[in-house]
Amino acid sequence: MQQRRELDQSYTNRKLLNGQLDTPKWWAPTVTGLGILVVIGLIVIATMINKGLGVTGLGRPVFWGLFITTFVFWVGISHAGIMISAILRLTQAEWRRPVTRAAELLTVFSLLTALVFPLIHAGRPWRIAYWITPYDISRGIYPNIRSPLIMDPVAISTYLTGSTLFLYIALLPDLGNLRDRTTGWQNAMYTVLSLGWRGNPRQWKMQTVGGILLSALMLPIFVSVHSIVSWDFAIAPAVEGWHSTIFAPYFVIGAVHSGVSAVVTMMALMRWLWKWDDFIRPEHFDALARLLIVVATGWLAFTFLELIFAVYGQDAPELALREMQMFQWPWNLLFIIFLLTGYFIPVPMWLFKRVRTNIALMFWTSILVNVGMWLERFLIIVPGLARRTPFVYTWEAYRPSAVEWTIFIWSFCWVTFLMLLFSRFFPLVPLFEQKESQVFTEDVTIGRAKVPAIVREAD
Amino acid sequence: MKLNRREFLALTGKTAAGAVIFAACGLPERELIVQSPVDMPEDLVRGEDAWYATSMGDFTNGDGVLVRVMEGRAKKIEGNPDHPVNRGKSTARYDSVLQLLYHPDRIQEPMLRYSKNGNLVNTTWDEADNRFRSALANADGAITVVTNPIRGHLGNVATKFADQYNGKHLTFDPMEQGVLHGAVKSVLGQEQLPTFDISHAHTVLSFGADWLGTWGSPAQFGVKYGEFRSQSHRGYLIHAEPRMSLTAAAADLWLAPKPGTEGDLALGIASIIINEGLATQENISTFNTILPDGLDRYSVAQVSDRTGISGDRIEKAARHFANHTPAVAFGGGSAGAHTNGSFNLEAIYALNILVDAIDTSGGVTPNPKSAIEELPSSSTGEPFESWEAELAQWRAGNVETVIIRGTDIVHGMPNSVGVREALQNVPNVIVFGTVHDDTMDFADLILPEKTVLEAWGTEIPEPGPGYQVVGTQQPVVGPTVSHDESGLTSNARGFGDSLLQMSDGSYGSSMEQLVKNGLADLHAAGRGSISASSSSLFTNGALQRGGWWDTGTRGTTDLGKIRSTERNAYYSDTGTLGTGNDFHLVPFHSNSLLDGRLAAAPWAQSTPDPITSASWSTWAEINSQEAQSLGIKEGDVLLIRSTSGEIEALAYPHPGVRPGVIGVPVGQGHHRNGRWAEDRGSNVLSILTGQKDSHTGALAWAATQVRVQRAGRRVKVPKFEGNVEARPVEPGVPVLVVAINETAEHAQKENHHIYQKQFIGKDEQDKQHE
Amino acid sequence: MTTENFGNNNWGMVVDVDKCIGCNACVLACQAENNIPLNTQDRVERARSISWIRVERYWEGDFPDAKARFIPIMCQHCENAPCEPVCPVYATYHNAEGMNVQVYNRCVGTRYCANGCPYIVRFFNFWEPVWPESLRNHLNPDVTIRSRGIMEKCSFCVHRIRRETRKARSEGREVIDGTIQTACSSACPTSALNFGNFNDPNSKVSKMKKDKRHYTLLDQFATDPNVIYLAKIDADKKVAAKHD
Ligand SMILES: Nc1nc2c(c(=O)[nH]1)N[C@H]1C(S)=C(S)[C@@H](COP(=O)(O)OP(=O)(O)OC[C@H]3O[C@@H](n4cnc5c(=O)[nH]c(N)nc54)[C@H](O)[C@@H]3O)O[C@H]1N2
Ligand SMILES: Nc1nc2c(c(=O)[nH]1)N[C@H]1C(S)=C(S)[C@@H](COP(=O)(O)OP(=O)(O)OC[C@H]3O[C@@H](n4cnc5c(=O)[nH]c(N)nc54)[C@H](O)[C@@H]3O)O[C@H]1N2
Ligand code: SF4
Ligand code: SF4
Ligand code: SF4
Ligand code: SF4
Ligand code: SF4
């Protein structure tokens, strides 16, 4: 059990604002490097739009591949934010405090990234305005609201709007803080952004109530987003492994699994990069890992149900699909990696507290989970398409092209780039939450050791 | 306030929000139809089209076609419903002719080579004509006109032209059917090929000839096959061929004899029929009289041993053939392309005697002679033997001028005859054509030719429908060759017109004139499908309908003899060919390229082969079990070697080939032939060895032994089929198979039970049904 | 408003699988009629070739009892088409004449409909279609050329239907059964493909549809296709006892 330092407010301010007031040396070169990669990625995307989707590895009948997989992946990651902030806030889990901002940020940026994929994977992206805005309504044709591809942008943009507001409201006190500590153009920027934050009781009250209200409002959206994403697949009757009634909860719980893991990854990085050992502490990892054990096991149950349905139903094409997915090269390799990384390596490890409180191990296991979760989506989307219906004659393989891989890698660079850019101007750990938690913390004597405890949790 | 459901609905229905929400609850039929108030682009049709009736002698065996023309451009080719041969139906080849017409690599100008080693350069027609004239003037008898087998006026012009210059007119067909003509002549006493009344036959027994795919008159036979299947007694098709062709695939019973044993199989069937007394005594004795040496060697066991087909299957075929009459037997293609080809085909055609199928309904229908006496109604490639002799003359420098049209002899002849050196020793090689082919590499003068859609002509179908037909061919578009991107120019001339221009005029001045004169003669005869008061009305009528025919005419037969019963002499000197496994090479016509004459057309290149779905390439079909034991997988590059050379082909193992046989499609492997065919695939004709049928001297093109070895590379076969061998994952999906008189529903239920049995076992199944 | 353009027709196809010989005449006819882009070798190899009608070949058994079974498959023009509800922009919809129609202008190229379609008859233009200038001469002016990035599929040769129905209307008569033939049914040598109006009880297809061999493909999806198949006959098949 670790000792916790008494953190006074000025130390907290100094430490947590080090990104803005005292930019670390690695920041500029890293952001420049990532920026270059991002530009390269954007050039590849532009080339693809210019030349056509022929540059991908797609064909008949595998019409969706790496892009849609990565879209689902990033939407999944985005479920971290609300899970951590809203649910934990409503359930008053105190340990959430240092990680809420990073989680919300991940939500916003991963949604922004996710949205790129359905856009660029369309044959004529420049025509996508049709989807959302029926601009030539003179013909009397609205977008087809029966299509999940209409529900998707609606759900995701609602989620994005809500998350952005949520992030912003939580940022207000810290913006006020920064305004007071900066000069020149930065001061001007923070002045505008902080919306006249003075920290008076009325403002605090409004800020708190706003946060709680948004939390409650966001919860159904949170559930809807990945449910709708799952319907992109579940309503296609002809694709083996897609048309399943369990998809919505299966996807939502999978999203939580990957999203929370991504938060763990990020926390470890923040702790290392900004030396926030005092704020992001092993007990946080411990708590998240416990949560993950439950979520992951729930998710695994759905995964196995899927296979059981296939075996039980004895539907010939579905059997053929599962046979390929599990036993045919190279799918079998992917499938094993998926099971090991998605569950069977990390979760048993997390059963041990020594692992849960070991930052490096948590970092690597959380990465494994997302390798597995990406593979999960790939293994749902592609094999089903490759083994479409009983028309064996049309069964085909799919191999993503270099262009697709580049854009896939671009998405990671892009999210990291945005995060780092954000970290230069805004604190990644909410100062006020941190201080509030300090207020609630007391040292409790357990046996011979004196450990910090959070009073409210003891209620 | 307390509302019941009805009131609630009434209330909300009145609000605007309610209106939106419940609007979606309307009847699905009304809700889902989102037709635009204006016509969609695909609803718009513009312009008037015209459909011209014509024929395409070089690409069909006399089918009548309609060409859709809009604003002077040919758009589509379909069957001519009036035409008695194909009755409105088509093949997977018609439309490709459009792409030869509008081929971007079409030859625009005459081209001249000033010295044998020089390059071809564009020239004017004047200079080309001068060169042509001097080549004729110097020839003095040493002149050969080479064409594909053509009938009608064009064939006649070529022959007359050669005669005038004391030369020869030789025809060349790489997969020659001379054996077939010989066998028909010998057994049925007919010059013209007969047709077969498949429509009314209850049993069809065919050998080697892929008559549904590429042999004979596929559109004609296809229409008849449709009728054969819709009779109240659905016809039963038995087909013997070592490799599964379209016809074999359509067959109810497929027999795969060892190549070259088709004659044995036929006589084996005959001996069963005779031994079991399934034919009348009269027919048996007629049969015995035409058989040279009895049926001693044709017991079921012996025949089964020689052909490699189980005795049961042979017996089944024989009994079905004899018991379910009217029945008809015919053959051709690879069955005749052996050293004993004549025997094979003669034995096959003789089977008709046993079932009384000659000149009867549901049997063999002889074709009459041509309605225009001077026009040949039958043509076939000159036998290989004659070609060997001819090429020896060329090589020796004894032939001054060779005029070639409609056939790519450099591509079509086996390496063994050395056609390239022969051409190099001919001082004047004049080649007509539309796209630069391999033969033109040896030409001294290239003359751009009109396509069949731009030129006049007539076509005598072979096989005809059983009565006299003269098909007409007219220019359906002007001489429109759009080569340069700016517009349409053409300097092409018809082959016939060019020859007529170079001759003394005694025969005629132009093809158009010849065709019209021919039609005038028909008018004078005063019979047939068109009755008109004047010759010009008659001509118009014929051109509008695509030809003239007289259903009242009949052909005759005159029973002859089977000339021998010899075995096939396999060419077995493969020991010298290095490592690998011995296979029997069976080349076959590509379904879309034929012998390669359509290879320049991208549609023809991309049309999937029916059996393998492969395109754009040369593949080799081998038996899948055999492939497995040899470690050969799909896409393996195979080296196929004969004493005449080596080619590469992509392995395509499937269950429809006899083990020990390798089937390779003809039609690829051009060095030239336009951007789409150039250096693509391999030319299987080049590695044929020069074996010949002993009676006709025709090339035994299916008698080559090869040694096959993996090259160690594997590539993706360009095919439409996916990456999994297509076998149904559950019975009846998607091709539901029913027994005669079984309903689809019953078959589906039965399939479902078969499928379930895999999982729950028989006992359980039975229990459930009690 | 819209239906005045159309008669009381329900177009459909009856495919007699027993007559199909797999010759591919239908495939080439459709290719030529409908301005289908050239299927280059690269497109074939990468499973991007476009063929609004294809002839599938299934193997059954092994040598010497191997059978190759052919079945032509084009858009089934489902009454209850799974491709339609998923399209976000109504680029594919059902018209009043029993056809599934594709509006090229509206399509944004999500390929979602292709995932929805159980019959895999939708084809995507991965590249801009190109023809050498001279080959453009044979393009059919009645049929739109599809640009890159959009879906296409069998249209039941809607332009032929329009031509003939307009002609009939201008002549003040009903469409005569058999005068409308699609390019594929017109080509098919064995008459395996038969096109006509199911709403006309006397049409050839209406009569054929009643054949006891009739079935529809993948009926587990309840798509209610307007393409009816007649089962392949195997003369040597033994019928098992009746099941119920
Ligand atoms: N289209 C349509 N949708 C519906 C309904 C409908 O009638 N039609 N009904 C609605 C209702 S009331 C319900 S309850 C839900 C049902 O929704 P689901 O529970 O999804 O129903 P099914 O699709 O019948 O079954 C799902 C899968 O279970 C597998 N299965 C079959 N038997 C067993 C078994 O004994 N054990 C296991 N493990 N798997 C089995 C089958 O392979 C099948 O693919 O659907 C709702 N949605
Ligand atoms: N073969 C087979 N049988 C099954 C199943 C299966 O998968 N296969 N699934 C089983 C399952 S999971 C279920 S839930 C059952 C469903 O079986 P049922 O409960 O019988 O469901 P339905 O037949 O869909 O609906 C019953 C009736 O309710 C009427 N109805 C609709 N709305 C209302 C209303 O507001 N009030 C009243 N009074 N009536 C209304 C409908 O018109 C319909 O006639 O089927 C079971 N039976
Ligand atoms: S299946 Fe679902 S979406 Fe479809 S009609 Fe029924 S309730 Fe509605
Ligand atoms: S590809 Fe086109 S037609 Fe298909 S769903 Fe997308 S927009 Fe609709
Ligand atoms: S066959 Fe496919 S594309 Fe055609 S209507 Fe049915 S679902 Fe749509
Ligand atoms: S109906 Fe027309 S569009 Fe459809 S497959 Fe046949 S030819 Fe092609
Ligand atoms: S044209 Fe007719 S017989 Fe030929 S493949 Fe097509 S459907 Fe079958």
Side-chain angles (χ1 to χ4, degrees), chain C residues 152-216:
Chain C
E152 58 181 76
K153 54 148 208 100
C154 159
S155 68
F156 262 174
C157 288
V158 59
H159 55 284
R160 289 189 174 213
I161 298 176
R162 294 289 170 265
R163 247 182 207 281
E164 187 56 31
T165 38
R166 271 167 204 218
K167 191 163 160 228
R169 207 170 47 233
S170 70
E171 291 169 9
R173 59 170 168 87
E174 292 288 303
V175 173
I176 301 160
D177 184 42
T179 50
I180 299 181
Q181 283 303 318
T182 61
C184 55
S185 67
S186 167
C188 178
T190 62
S191 298
L193 302 173
N194 301 274
F195 186 78
N197 182 2
F198 285 138
N199 271 0
D200 170 2
N202 298 317
S203 68
K204 183 181 175 199
V205 289
S206 291
K207 289 178 186 146
M208 286 183 82
K209 193 182 174 178
K210 296 191 191 112
D211 192 297
K212 61 178 177 291
R213 290 187 286 130
H214 76 91
Y215 74 109
T216 51

Side-chain angles (χ1 to χ4, degrees), chain A residues 435-446:
Chain A
K435 293 172 189 164
E436 200 175 282
S437 81
Q438 204 65 49
V439 174
F440 292 129
T441 308
E442 266 178 15
D443 285 344
V444 178
T445 314
I446 298 172

Side-chain angles (χ1 to χ4, degrees), chain C residues 112-177:
Chain C
Y112 199 179
C113 51
N115 292 343
C117 170
Y119 305 95
I120 319 184
V121 293
R122 298 187 145 261
F123 297 86
F124 185 68
N125 285 277
F126 283 91
W127 299 113
E128 188 73 28
V130 280
W131 287 268
E133 197 55 36
S134 66
L135 284 191
R136 295 182 78 91
N137 282 315
H138 68 47
L139 293 180
N140 183 352
D142 289 351
V143 180
T144 317
I145 291 171
R146 286 76 61 183
S147 70
R148 112 169 115 85
I150 60 174
M151 272 290 155
E152 58 181 76
K153 54 148 208 100
C154 159
S155 68
F156 262 174
C157 288
V158 59
H159 55 284
R160 289 189 174 213
I161 298 176
R162 294 289 170 265
R163 247 182 207 281
E164 187 56 31
T165 38
R166 271 167 204 218
K167 191 163 160 228
R169 207 170 47 233
S170 70
E171 291 169 9
R173 59 170 168 87
E174 292 288 303
V175 173
I176 301 160
D177 184 42

Side-chain angles (χ1 to χ4, degrees), chain B residues 510-675:
Chain B
S510 73
M511 285 300 291
E512 178 175 0
Q513 206 49 52
L514 287 181
V515 170
K516 289 186 172 159
N517 291 348
L519 291 173
D521 291 349
L522 284 176
H523 179 234
R527 60 191 174 93
S529 57
I530 301 164
S531 50
S533 54
S534 75
S535 177
S536 73
L537 284 177
F538 181 92
T539 303
N540 288 345
L543 292 176
Q544 274 167 16
R545 295 188 67 184
W548 167 98
W549 36 89
D550 183 357
T551 51
T553 49
R554 285 274 170 275
T556 51
T557 52
D558 178 15
L559 220 52
K561 250 194 157 5
I562 300 177
R563 289 174 291 181
S564 80
T565 57
E566 74 203 281
R567 302 280 91 74
N568 190 23
Y570 292 106
Y571 192 87
S572 55
D573 186 21
T574 55
T576 56
L577 293 174
T579 53
N581 300 87
D582 281 344
F583 276 90
H584 191 116
L585 176 68
V586 177
F588 58 92
H589 275 118
S590 151
N591 190 51
S592 54
L593 311 173
L594 289 174
D595 56 12
R597 72 189 92 151
L598 283 165
W603 282 339
Q605 285 282 356
S606 66
T607 304
D609 171 69
I611 297 288
T612 62
S613 86
S615 53
W616 293 104
S617 57
T618 300
W619 64 94
E621 301 178 16
I622 59 174
N623 181 278
S624 42
Q625 282 159 338
E626 187 177 26
Q628 201 173 13
S629 67
L630 297 176
I632 294 173
K633 294 216 170 67
E634 185 182 308
D636 275 338
V637 179
L638 298 180
L639 301 175
I640 303 172
R641 220 174 284 134
S642 77
T643 47
S644 187
E646 178 184 273
I647 59 165
E648 286 186 357
L650 309 179
Y652 187 96
H654 68 69
V657 204
R658 184 182 176 82
V661 168
I662 186 163
V664 180
V666 176
Q668 297 283 22
H670 299 265
H671 298 299
R672 299 299 202 105
N673 223 350
R675 60 188 73 180

Side-chain angles (χ1 to χ4, degrees), chain B residues 451-472:
Chain B
T451 64
V452 287
L453 299 180
E454 297 158 309
W456 286 95
T458 47
E459 170 69 355
I460 314 287
E462 180 169 46
Y467 47 89
Q468 286 176 339
V469 175
V470 178
T472 50

Side-chain angles (χ1 to χ4, degrees), chain B residues 143-171 373-380 382 403 405 495-496 499-500 503-504 506-507 511 514:
Chain B
I143 177 169
T144 307
V145 180
V146 181
T147 68
N148 54 328
I150 32 177
R151 296 172 296 272
H153 281 93
L154 195 59
N156 210 12
V157 167
T159 310
K160 288 257 154 79
F161 175 85
D163 288 350
Q164 191 195 325
Y165 288 94
N166 299 320
K168 287 190 268 222
H169 172 204
L170 287 182
T171 53
E373 203 169 321
E374 54 179 357
L375 297 188
S377 56
S378 173
S379 73
T380 179
E382 216 64 47
I403 300 167
R405 179 269 167 194
F495 173 66
L499 293 194
L500 288 170
S503 51
D504 58 12
S506 62
Y507 183 53
M511 285 300 291
L514 287 181

